[in-house]
Amino acid sequence: MRKPRHNKNGFVLPLVLVVIALLAAGAGYVLTQGMAELQANTLNQDYELCILTGKNAMAILQAELEKDVNYSGTNGKVSDENGGFYEIHVFKTSEKLRYVEVACELRAYQKKFSGEIELMPETAEPPSGKIVKFNWKMLGGV
């Protein structure tokens, strides 16, 4: 009968430990990258929602100006359905022109929009009017 051979060097256990350590390091790296990607996606979503809040505010501005050509804007910050806030300022530059500023914020992001609106007042219903042209641009922000 043959006697089983035993490994006297004992390299199998350290090899298994090294393989487990490498697998753990790889799993940790993958998890870290996934968390970083998730955080980047969340920040991008907040940025896009901040811009959407500003565009919603401009749509509200257009509707209010068509109802009343003397609309001057909001009194302070107004909450939006996206979770952000916006503020509208309207400056009357002439009878038919309005300069507008819209500021919006959502969590860490703040954006500003400005523009010029050309109105055509309706003679049938004095305070209302029709927007002929609306040129706007997004200004810098955080």
Side-chain angles (χ1 to χ4, degrees), residues 81-136:
E81 62 190 24
N82 297 320
F85 297 94
Y86 65 88
E87 192 171 0
I88 300 172
H89 297 286
V90 179
F91 305 99
K92 186 175 182 179
T93 55
S94 72
E95 196 61 37
K96 293 183 176 183
L97 291 176
R98 304 291 186 272
Y99 177 75
V100 297
E101 291 178 348
V102 174
C104 60
E105 64 182 66
L106 184 100
R107 294 183 188 90
Y109 293 101
Q110 298 174 351
K111 284 291 178 189
K112 292 187 178 183
F113 299 85
S114 70
E116 189 175 73
I117 295 178
E118 184 179 340
L119 293 167
M120 182 172 58
E122 293 184 0
T123 56
E125 300 173 23
S128 65
K130 182 172 175 78
I131 294 178
V132 178
K133 189 192 306 186
F134 185 14
N135 294 327
W136 63 272

Side-chain angles (χ1 to χ4, degrees), residues 29-105:
Y29 175 76
V30 169
L31 287 175
T32 303
Q33 290 296 345
M35 292 300 289
E37 187 72 25
L38 180 63
Q39 184 179 14
N41 286 340
T42 302
L43 291 174
N44 185 51
Q45 179 183 8
D46 289 349
Y47 177 77
E48 294 292 330
L49 284 174
C50 182
I51 292 174
L52 184 63
T53 299
K55 289 182 177 182
N56 288 345
M58 286 193 296
I60 291 169
L61 165 68
Q62 288 177 316
E64 291 294 330
L65 270 176
E66 286 187 344
K67 278 195 276 183
D68 182 9
V69 293
N70 298 320
Y71 177 69
S72 61
T74 59
N75 294 327
K77 293 181 181 179
V78 178
S79 64
D80 186 58
E81 62 190 24
N82 297 320
F85 297 94
Y86 65 88
E87 192 171 0
I88 300 172
H89 297 286
V90 179
F91 305 99
K92 186 175 182 179
T93 55
S94 72
E95 196 61 37
K96 293 183 176 183
L97 291 176
R98 304 291 186 272
Y99 177 75
V100 297
E101 291 178 348
V102 174
C104 60
E105 64 182 66

